[in-house]
């Protein structure tokens, strides 16, 4: 396990819209370099950059045409190497986005594999049936009619993303290969080759690991328990432990018992419909309302989350870290339906829980989800969460046009800005000590200054009791109190005061709070929408 993860706080960057250094309307790698000090000041010491490789951008770069080449619109490989150097100089780390499950249909491997007689090396690099006349398998998407080769291929996501071939768990047709087939092993080895290309090796110049896209998607039918996919990742982890022991891997999987046992160091909780994570901030109603735990008038208690989280945490605490995210490029923005106060309480929780937290660019200022933007690069409903970072106040053009994002004409921007007069921005929030931005800074600082509040698995739930019934003295069962080492944290996102009987040894000393809270008469008292951290 890379030691540096112990106090890591990640910042996710969507490179298209973070900072444009050359006035062409789109963000770039040099732009990220220029903003490294901002990210460090925020308290984040690690980055995850969404795919920045050569691509036709039919899915914002998750359709890679060349894994070893930075997309020219972001700069060149030299810019990426410089980014690694500049980050390392500041004691920061950089994860690139690895897309192992599919490529672009324009990748040379796929171009070759489409031919009537593909060369041996790439004949089975993708999953091809042996005739165009094939009507599919439940849960898999087949495309016919696109190639000279007589067959259909499977796509992993969009039509433009043919699935790489790591084999089938149950082989029922001649064209289905088992994961141990040499051609499937060759796909896995090709992935290792890409990883070795970018990772920090002897030359000391390279990335510090990968965020892995759809990491659970490798072996096809019927790998429901993901044992065959897990075996591939365990093999890759062995390679990393041997050659790059400092490299970190975080999976887009959303099931820590599977992913962390498969060798990932971290796994994101995702907002899938069945996830407890969703109940925290993204429990949306059909009419656009938000019913989440962190909504002041939301429904239910923290157990909707804990009932799933705690068994996962207990089962995996010796294997790796669960990552709580503020959001990402696929989710509606955190601010969607949440007030700044509600967001700050959520940040208070994710930055004081175990595991390794991730902050999506712009969430620290509460950037808004822009409705009804025309889709961009396969974004569809996700497009509204990918708009340009709002660095400067629209009223103070001194900091540069387009709210400090780009010196290009507004019509040239990759996506439009939030043009509201009250659009959140860094410049204004930096000057306001009570802003969301400054709250996020204080919370991250608090975390990183105290070993007990960093990643390690020292969580003890003090309230509510497991499966406990809600309680009138507890703001309708809405408060959540937990201990980590010498610290006790209490959160009450609800509209009523909570008074939770709690016996603690010694006198708790308040070290940080949002709103009013305290210990009195054997109770932890949390006023509406408050959060406190006590040393005790
Ligand atoms: C998950 C990524 O986060 C998403 O943006 C992408 O569209 C799909 N995987 C396909 O790669």
């Amino acid at each position: 396990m890379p030691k540096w993860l112990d106090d890591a706080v990640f910042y996710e960057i969507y490179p298209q819209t973070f900072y444009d250094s050359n006035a062409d309307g789109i963000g770039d790698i040099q732009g990220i370099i220029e903003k490294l000090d901002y990210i460090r000041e925020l308290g984040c010491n690690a980055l995850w950059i969404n795919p920045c490789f050569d691509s036709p951008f039919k899915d914002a770069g998750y359709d890679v045409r060349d894994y070893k080449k930075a997309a020219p619109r972001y700069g060149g490989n030299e810019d990426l190497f410089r980014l690694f150097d500049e980050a390392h100089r500041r004691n920061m780390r950089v994860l690139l986005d690895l897309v192992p499950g599919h490529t672009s249909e324009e990748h040379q491997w796929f171009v070759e594999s489409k031919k009537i007689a593909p060369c041996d090396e790439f004949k089975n690099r993708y999953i091809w049936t042996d005739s165009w006349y094939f009507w599919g398998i439940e849960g898999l998407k087949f495309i016919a009619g696109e190639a000279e080769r007589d067959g259909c291929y499977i796509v992993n996501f969009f039509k433009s993303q043919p699935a790489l071939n790591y084999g089938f768990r149950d082989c029922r047709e001649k064209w289905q290969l088992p994961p141990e087939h040499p051609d499937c092993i060759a796909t896995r080895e090709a992935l290792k080759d890409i990883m070795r290309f970018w990772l920090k090796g002897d030359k000391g110049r390279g990335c510090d690991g990968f965020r892995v896209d759809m990491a659970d998607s490798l072996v096809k039918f019927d790998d429901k328990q993901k044992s065959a996919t897990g075996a591939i990742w365990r093999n890759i982890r062995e390679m990393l432990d041997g050659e790059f022991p400092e490299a970190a891997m975080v999976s887009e999987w959303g099931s820590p018992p599977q992913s962390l046992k498969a060798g990932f160091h971290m796994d994101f909780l995702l907002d899938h419909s069945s996830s407890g994570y969703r109940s925290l901030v993204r429990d949306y109603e059909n009419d656009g309302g938000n019913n989440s735990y962190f909504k002041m008038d939301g429904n239910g208690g923290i157990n909707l989350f804990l009932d799933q989280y705690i068994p996962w945490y207990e089962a995996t605490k010796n294997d790796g870290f669960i990552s709580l995210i503020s959001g990402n490029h696929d989710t509606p923005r955190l601010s969607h339906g949440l007030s700044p106060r509600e967001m700050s309480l959520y940040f208070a929780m994710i930055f004081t829980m175990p595991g390794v937290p991730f902050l999506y660019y712009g969430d620290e200022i509460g950037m808004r989800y822009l409705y009804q933007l025309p889709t961009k690069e396969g974004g569809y409903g996700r497009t509204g969460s990918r708009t340009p970072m709002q660095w400067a106040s629209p009223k103070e053009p001194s900091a540069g046009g387009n709210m400090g994002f780009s010196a290009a004409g507004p019509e040239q921007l990759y996506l439009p800005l939030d043009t509201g007069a009250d659009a959140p921005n860094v410049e204004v929030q930096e000057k306001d000590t009570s802003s969301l931005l400054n709250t996020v800074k204080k919370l991250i600082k608090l975390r990183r200054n105290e070993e007990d509040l960093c990643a390690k698995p020292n969580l003890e739930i003090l309230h509510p009791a497991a499966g406990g019934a809600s309680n009138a003295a507890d703001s309708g069962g809405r408060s959540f109190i937990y201990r980590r080492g010498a610290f006790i944290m209490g959160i009450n996102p609800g509209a009523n005061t909570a008074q939770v009987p709690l016996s603690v040894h010694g006198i708790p000393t308040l070290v940080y709070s949002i709103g009013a809270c305290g210990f009195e008469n054997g109770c932890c008292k949390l006023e509406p929408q408050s959060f406190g951290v006590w040393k005790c």
Side-chain angles (χ1 to χ4, degrees):
M1 178 69 70
K3 186 87 189 101
W4 63 268
L5 287 180
D6 287 352
D7 84 327
V9 176
F10 276 87
Y11 192 77
E12 178 194 344
I13 294 179
Y14 189 72
Q16 287 90 323
T17 47
F18 189 57
Y19 184 58
D20 171 18
S21 73
N22 63 353
D24 61 358
I26 188 162
D28 44 56
I29 297 162
Q30 176 58 27
I32 299 175
I33 295 174
E34 289 176 29
K35 294 295 183 184
L36 281 176
D37 287 331
Y38 165 81
I39 299 166
R40 195 185 49 177
E41 289 290 299
L42 188 57
C44 296
N45 54 359
L47 311 179
W48 152 31
I49 303 173
N50 290 116
C52 54
F53 310 109
D54 182 41
S55 165
F57 292 103
K58 290 190 174 174
D59 184 15
Y62 283 97
D63 46 332
V64 180
R65 185 163 49 200
D66 184 344
Y67 285 101
K68 294 185 179 174
K69 182 178 168 200
R73 72 187 198 179
Y74 300 137
N77 285 9
E78 285 306 314
D79 295 74
L80 263 181
F81 292 139
R82 232 164 5 89
L83 169 64
F84 304 145
D85 288 346
E86 289 291 336
H88 295 153
R89 258 186 350 103
R90 292 167 173 82
N91 250 328
M92 297 168 81
R93 316 278 172 156
V94 183
L95 300 193
L96 296 179
D97 209 317
L98 183 70
V99 188
H102 48 269
T103 65
S104 157
E105 59 196 342
E106 294 182 21
H107 193 291
Q108 273 315 308
W109 299 341
F110 189 65
V111 172
E112 178 64 31
S113 93
K114 276 168 85 174
K115 293 182 179 165
I116 288 190
C119 69
D120 282 350
E121 189 179 1
F122 300 123
K123 187 164 170 246
N124 290 320
R125 180 57 51 94
Y126 298 84
I127 304 166
W128 287 92
T129 62
D130 49 13
S131 158
W132 66 272
Y133 191 79
F134 183 77
W135 298 115
I137 298 175
E138 205 192 321
L140 297 175
K141 292 186 243 177
F142 288 77
I143 304 287
E146 286 279 317
E148 290 176 345
R149 178 171 175 164
D150 183 10
C152 315
Y153 60 91
I154 294 183
V155 296
N156 228 22
F157 199 67
F158 289 152
K159 180 250 159 198
S160 53
Q161 291 160 315
L164 284 161
N165 193 357
Y166 295 89
F168 275 70
R169 191 159 176 278
D170 292 338
C171 297
R172 297 179 183 179
E173 311 269 350
K174 229 173 43 254
W175 50 267
Q176 296 173 338
L177 307 179
E180 52 285 356
H181 187 281
D183 291 349
C184 300
I185 303 270
T187 309
R188 184 191 75 198
E189 293 305 310
L191 187 64
K192 286 185 191 164
D193 174 57
I194 295 161
M195 295 171 75
R196 288 189 178 106
F197 179 83
W198 288 111
L199 281 169
K200 189 167 150 193
D202 298 340
K203 278 188 286 163
R205 217 168 66 149
C207 73
D208 301 281
F210 298 97
R211 174 268 185 185
V212 180
D213 186 67
M214 294 174 68
D216 61 335
S217 73
L218 305 190
V219 175
K220 306 301 185 213
F221 199 79
D222 191 8
D223 195 26
K224 282 210 180 71
Q225 298 311 315
K226 305 292 173 190
S227 56
T229 295
I232 294 175
W233 289 118
R234 272 191 297 279
N235 174 282
I236 290 175
R237 172 68 183 266
E238 268 173 40
M239 178 280 276
L240 290 174
D241 286 350
E243 297 175 36
F244 306 96
E246 283 294 288
M249 301 276 283
V250 54
S251 50
E252 187 198 27
W253 194 313
S255 179
Q258 292 177 343
S259 55
L260 300 181
K261 301 275 177 206
F264 281 95
H265 303 101
M266 304 167 269
D267 187 26
F268 295 122
L269 296 192
L270 301 169
D271 63 334
H272 296 154
S273 54
S274 60
S275 83
Y277 165 77
R278 188 187 177 96
S279 71
L280 294 175
V281 282
R282 293 196 168 78
D283 185 0
Y284 304 124
E285 294 165 355
N286 289 338
D287 63 0
N290 189 335
N291 233 350
S292 307
Y293 172 71
F294 279 92
K295 273 307 282 178
M296 185 178 74
D297 52 3
N299 269 344
I302 189 72
N303 276 341
L304 286 173
F305 167 69
L306 293 180
D307 286 351
Q308 187 178 61
Y309 176 84
I310 293 296
W312 282 356
Y313 166 79
E314 290 296 339
T316 60
K317 62 185 180 189
N318 299 319
D319 301 310
F321 300 119
I322 294 178
S323 284
L324 291 170
I325 62 172
S326 70
N328 66 29
H329 60 290
D330 294 330
T331 64
R333 282 272 182 196
L334 179 62
S335 60
H336 184 55
L338 253 56
S339 69
R341 179 62 162 256
E342 289 162 342
M343 285 188 265
S344 66
L345 294 175
Y346 178 61
F347 282 126
M349 179 177 140
I350 68 171
F351 292 131
T352 56
M353 284 285 275
V356 179
F358 279 68
L359 174 65
Y360 181 50
Y361 86 98
D363 280 350
E364 71 273 27
I365 53 171
M367 265 175 61
R368 293 187 285 222
Y369 174 66
L370 297 197
Y371 297 85
Q372 292 170 347
L373 283 184
T375 182
K376 179 86 178 181
E377 296 186 349
Y380 300 99
R382 308 174 293 183
T383 306
S385 297
R386 300 175 174 186
T387 58
M389 179 69 178
Q390 294 153 200
W391 295 104
S393 159
K395 295 181 199 122
E396 296 182 45
S398 60
N402 300 309
M403 297 179 81
F405 163 65
S406 166
E411 66 298 335
Q412 264 182 281
L413 300 189
Y414 173 85
L415 278 173
L417 284 153
D418 181 351
T419 50
D422 56 347
N425 62 80
V426 173
E427 184 178 14
V428 165
Q429 291 200 22
E430 266 176 346
K431 294 178 197 144
D432 171 4
T433 50
S434 64
S435 66
L436 188 61
L437 175 64
N438 279 313
T439 304
V440 168
K441 274 190 197 175
K442 286 176 208 152
L443 285 163
I444 299 179
K445 191 165 174 195
L446 173 74
R447 176 188 183 90
R448 293 198 44 220
N449 278 344
E450 299 293 345
E451 220 192 298
D452 276 350
L453 296 180
C454 289
K456 67 178 172 187
N458 56 355
L459 180 67
E460 223 184 301
I461 307 293
L462 303 182
H463 178 83
S470 70
N471 156 352
D474 164 22
S475 184
R478 307 233 26 233
S479 60
F480 175 33
I481 306 176
Y482 48 105
R483 179 188 270 285
R484 298 190 61 209
F487 295 89
I488 294 179
M489 272 64 64
I491 302 178
N492 174 17
N496 303 310
T497 302
Q499 297 224 47
V500 179
L502 206 66
S503 60
V504 288
H505 299 296
I507 301 166
T509 318
L510 188 69
V511 287
Y512 180 77
S513 66
I514 297 171
C517 46
F519 274 82
E520 45 185 68
N521 307 325
C523 283
C524 176
K525 185 171 176 190
L526 299 162
E527 296 292 350
Q529 293 198 293
S530 68
F531 167 78
V533 180
W534 293 267
K535 193 159 190 180
C536 178

